[in-house]
Amino acid sequence: EWDISPWGYWKMTGRSTKGARPFEVELEAICDSPGVKLRAPTEKEGMVYFCRDSFMARVTLSLWELNWDSETKTYVRGKTLVDKAASPQAAVEIGGGPWWSDWKD
């Protein structure tokens, strides 16, 4: 799943149910600074200002083990392995189109 704004907010969650230790991860980044516009190569216009990035985002990361629930036949969150580990200096980026609006899935 993801919930990403055109600038300033990124939240992604994912699950891995393969292997010996199934897990779920959640990453959230927030950037209050406007970032820096960067040039990027485009097919028709060459190098144009098309991206933005910053190293001034706040990020948190959480990680849980997943346990199989035989009653509901789904994986459910178990023990918390990482509980909102945080950093005040994360790199974030947006780039190109057609993603000019929120991405949600």
Side-chain angles (χ1 to χ4, degrees), residues 35-103:
V36 176
K37 290 182 181 177
L38 301 173
R39 290 182 185 263
T42 64
E43 186 176 344
K44 296 182 181 176
E45 299 176 38
M47 295 291 283
V48 296
Y49 288 104
F50 207 56
C51 300
R52 179 184 308 222
D53 76 1
S54 174
F55 287 89
M56 303 298 289
R58 298 180 315 277
V59 66
T60 59
L61 176 98
S62 297
L63 182 68
W64 301 269
E65 66 181 25
L66 290 176
N67 298 316
W68 180 252
D69 183 332
S70 57
E71 195 172 297
T72 62
K73 304 214 182 312
T74 60
Y75 283 96
V76 295
R77 282 185 184 173
K79 179 181 172 186
T80 301
L81 303 173
V82 177
D83 189 14
K84 294 188 179 181
S87 173
Q89 189 174 15
V92 291
E93 177 185 68
I94 59 164
W99 308 286
W100 307 119
S101 60
D102 291 352
W103 306 354

